Amino acid sequence: MLESEGVDSIFGYPGGVLIGLYDEMAKSNIRHYLVRHEQGAVHAADGYARISGKVGVCLVTSGPGATNTVTGIASAYCDSIPMVVLTGQVPTNLIGNDAFQEVDIVGITRPCTKHNYLVKDVNELADTIREAFHIARSGRPGPVLIDLPKDVLAGTANFKQPKGPVTMRSYNPTVTPNTKQLTKVIKELMKAKKPLIMAGGGIISSNASQALTDFARKLQIPVTTTLMGLGAFPGSDDLSLGMIGMHGTYRANMSTGDCDVLLGVGVRFDDRVTGKTDTFASQAKIIHVDIDPTSIRKNVPVSIPVVGDCKATLDKLNELLTGENLTEIPEKRAPWLKCIAEWKAAQRLAYEQTDVIKPQYVVERLCKITEGKAIISTEVGQNQMWAAQFYDFDQPNRFVTSGGLGVMGFGLPAAIGAQVAAPNDLVVDVAGDGSIQMNIQELGTAMQHKLPVKVVILNNGYLGMVRQWQELFFGKRYCATQMDVQPDFVKLAEAYGATGLRATKPEEVDEVLKKGLAAEGPVIMDFVVEREECVYPMVPAGAPITEMLLV
């Protein structure tokens, strides 16, 4: 059934109840990637899914093997990543008896999966797997868990390949939007003087980037993207405002406060984007397009709701524009675009390079040397924000990050999954010295499977983002954020058989990057950066999005 669903790669860690399944998988063409921790397996499946566009699959044993996946499952759920998690379970007759390595993983993961199953009959296994993949990849994508008792895996059945489309009475996502609603959308955008598009991860997961780009250019509407939406619209386009939110660009945040119509497509309007919700886009009519109806009006008031797939919706909106007179659009938009250009000129993303390496400089040089073409994964914290700000993303599916849950330790295993999905591409994990240690054991996975991921560590000796908050809001009282004892990352890389490099001066940055990116196999590049550098702009928690700290 896994083969019939197009599965070619599985990330996993074997255990007692799964030995029979692993024995069968050895006879299959499916490639298994042995991770060093089950959390790494889920993050790797996550990275694989984002880059390949397919459903990521991971396989772990019962008990602690299953519970170790929960953080990764929750991250995939928050970011709407299609995934099937296969967990081993004790025999059905022992379930509920506190057997060795028994845990109710179905109950534990119910709040953070799109759906989950406990299979009790081998005759139901084929249909269950098929249904799980359908749920994971359709509608708003997400993780689905299948719990597999040992006796079910050891059972026999007369296998018949399920045929025809999957039908479920209780699950029928709305893909095609209501045309009447779309007519209202066109009407509002045509008469708007200061329209704005906010694009989120839904654009990328529905392959709607080109449709969005065409639509924005036809109507000359500036576009801002969420963290998950980076690359959904070309960052180098004149209409691009960059990222919106707590650490978004000045022009993006100010535009949100001044626009008269805001079209949100594939976004959730979460708190890191909106800031104080009762002041968010307070002068605008908000149009919200999303395939998940529960996301609409969840966080902000919406004037025109549109339930549907992002690509289907934008394709239809582009069709509707063919009947409109667009000749006056450039003149009509000119004052609005001029205002945005003035905001851009007044406050650019900037830093002052001294005789100590600035982390922004490392990311900027990484972008320049790779020509903006690398697949970038990140850990979580300051490293994540600097990567989002200073690496230019012109294409979708090039930025892999834990956006909603914000999981430290995500970047390296996600990079491994991305490298499996794109074996000929350069994959770089931009990391912090704190985050990278959460799952640094996965360097062993990369080495064993000859996956040439590169790791760029912005090493400031702190848990940087927490330290920044302590500096700005708690009188520089640094409690429990100093990383006084650190490994030698160069020697650590070498201990795994990988390449380790270090830069301690600005003039060494290019040399280390070029050497590290050109080296064969996995590489760790350790950049000793300014210890107390902060991420700006920054919107303080609970403040309006237009009230930013800029210094």
Side-chain angles (χ1 to χ4, degrees):
M1 281 305 299
L2 294 174
E3 290 174 340
S4 73
E5 291 295 336
V7 176
D8 55 27
S9 302
I10 289 179
F11 305 89
Y13 204 100
V17 298
L18 293 178
I19 293 176
L21 179 53
Y22 268 89
D23 187 57
E24 289 299 319
M25 195 160 59
K27 308 169 190 175
S28 167
N29 290 325
I30 297 173
R31 181 75 184 272
H32 181 272
Y33 293 87
L34 176 64
V35 297
R36 299 302 185 263
H37 189 284
E38 291 89 354
Q39 183 181 343
V42 191
H43 293 328
D46 186 314
Y48 173 88
R50 297 192 201 212
I51 300 304
S52 69
K54 300 168 69 174
V55 177
V57 182
C58 63
L59 173 62
V60 300
T61 195
S62 61
T67 57
N68 280 343
T69 67
V70 174
T71 297
I73 293 171
S75 181
Y77 183 73
C78 289
D79 291 345
S80 304
I81 306 302
M83 184 186 301
V84 170
V85 180
L86 304 169
T87 57
Q89 183 57 277
V90 300
T92 52
N93 66 313
L94 293 180
I95 292 176
N97 288 359
D98 296 329
F100 177 67
Q101 291 194 333
E102 179 200 354
V103 71
D104 179 14
I105 194 64
V106 169
I108 290 171
T109 60
R110 189 167 286 122
C112 59
T113 51
K114 193 173 175 184
H115 195 57
N116 56 23
Y117 300 87
L118 171 60
V119 183
K120 295 184 177 180
D121 184 349
V122 67
N123 293 292
E124 297 175 358
L125 190 53
D127 286 333
T128 299
I129 292 173
R130 183 166 176 255
E131 196 173 277
F133 275 83
H134 170 70
I135 293 172
R137 67 166 66 99
S138 61
R140 177 181 175 180
V144 178
L145 182 140
I146 307 176
D147 203 20
L148 302 166
K150 185 176 182 179
D151 57 320
V152 173
L153 289 175
T156 58
N158 292 320
F159 175 68
K160 291 183 180 180
Q161 180 71 47
K163 296 180 180 179
V166 177
T167 56
M168 301 175 64
R169 290 178 59 188
S170 59
Y171 177 70
N172 292 290
T174 300
V175 174
T176 305
N178 185 301
T179 303
K180 290 183 179 179
Q181 293 297 90
L182 299 187
T183 303
K184 294 178 184 177
V185 172
I186 295 295
K187 182 179 179 181
E188 287 297 334
L189 292 174
M190 288 297 292
K191 71 179 184 181
K193 293 181 179 179
K194 297 185 286 186
L196 178 66
I197 294 174
M198 184 192 301
I203 293 289
I204 295 174
S205 62
S206 65
N207 297 313
S209 296
Q210 189 58 54
L212 169 68
T213 302
D214 293 343
F215 186 72
R217 288 173 177 170
K218 287 175 185 176
L219 288 179
Q220 285 293 288
I221 302 177
V223 179
T224 181
T225 61
T226 65
L227 180 69
M228 289 296 297
L230 287 172
F233 186 80
S236 59
D237 194 284
D238 290 341
L239 292 171
S240 174
L241 305 183
M243 185 176 69
I244 188 174
M246 178 174 281
H247 296 291
T249 66
Y250 182 78
R251 62 188 183 276
N253 288 357
M254 294 303 292
S255 298
T256 306
D258 206 37
C259 66
D260 57 4
V261 175
L262 175 61
L263 171 60
V265 190
V267 297
R268 294 185 294 118
F269 291 108
D270 72 285
D271 60 297
R272 288 298 174 101
V273 164
T274 62
K276 189 178 181 182
T277 53
D278 58 1
T279 62
F280 177 77
S282 58
Q283 301 182 51
K285 285 188 176 180
I286 297 179
I287 303 165
H288 192 180
V289 178
D290 204 285
I291 199 166
D292 179 8
T294 66
S295 292
I296 298 176
R297 295 196 174 109
K298 185 176 184 178
N299 295 320
V300 296
V302 174
S303 299
I304 303 176
V306 180
V307 178
D309 174 75
C310 291
K311 187 176 188 304
T313 300
L314 286 164
D315 284 344
K316 187 63 177 177
L317 287 172
N318 278 313
E319 287 179 22
L320 292 174
L321 279 181
T322 57
E324 298 290 338
N325 181 5
L326 304 180
T327 56
E328 297 179 359
I329 289 295
E331 182 180 352
K332 189 175 184 180
R333 295 284 186 264
W336 177 226
L337 296 178
K338 180 183 178 183
C339 178
I340 291 172
E342 289 172 353
W343 282 326
K344 181 178 180 179
Q347 291 289 341
R348 294 177 179 271
L349 290 173
Y351 61 93
E352 183 178 347
Q353 180 59 58
T354 63
D355 58 352
V356 179
I357 300 172
K358 290 298 179 81
Q360 302 96 319
Y361 178 67
V362 178
V363 178
E364 200 169 65
R365 294 308 301 160
L366 175 65
C367 183
K368 181 72 173 178
I369 291 169
T370 61
E371 299 179 342
K373 295 179 180 178
I375 294 172
I376 302 294
S377 74
T378 76
E379 305 294 337
V380 166
Q382 289 181 318
N383 61 85
Q384 179 187 37
M385 293 299 106
W386 283 318
Q389 290 179 336
F390 289 92
Y391 200 97
D392 299 324
F393 296 96
D394 275 346
Q395 298 176 359
N397 305 110
R398 310 303 286 181
F399 185 60
V400 180
T401 196
S402 177
L405 195 64
V407 179
M408 294 175 70
F410 173 86
L412 178 54
I416 288 170
Q419 191 74 81
V420 170
N424 298 319
D425 286 14
L426 175 63
V427 180
V428 182
D429 172 29
V430 177
D433 51 302
S435 275
I436 191 64
Q437 294 184 68
M438 291 266 185
N439 272 316
I440 200 165
Q441 76 283 342
E442 296 309 324
L443 190 58
T445 304
M447 286 298 300
Q448 177 172 336
H449 297 286
K450 297 179 172 58
L451 300 168
V453 298
K454 317 302 182 189
V455 181
V456 170
I457 299 177
L458 306 177
N459 187 346
N460 59 14
Y462 279 106
L463 299 177
M465 188 59 83
V466 182
R467 184 214 60 78
Q468 177 171 332
W469 281 58
Q470 290 174 333
E471 174 186 337
L472 297 176
F473 308 118
F474 294 89
K476 274 195 169 185
R477 293 183 293 277
Y478 296 162
C479 177
T481 49
Q482 293 173 272
M483 305 285 283
D484 293 330
V485 177
Q486 295 270 48
D488 183 323
F489 290 110
V490 172
K491 290 182 178 179
L492 184 58
E494 293 170 349
Y496 276 101
T499 300
L501 302 169
R502 178 177 293 116
T504 59
K505 302 175 183 178
E507 57 267 28
E508 297 172 346
V509 169
D510 276 20
E511 180 185 357
V512 168
L513 282 172
K514 289 176 181 178
K515 187 175 180 180
L517 297 175
E520 293 185 4
V523 179
I524 285 183
M525 291 166 269
D526 182 19
F527 294 89
V528 181
V529 300
E530 179 71 55
R531 293 204 70 195
E532 296 190 19
E533 189 73 6
C534 291
V535 180
Y536 291 112
M538 180 179 182
V539 179
I545 196 173
T546 52
E547 295 181 9
M548 292 161 273
L549 301 178
L550 300 171
V551 180

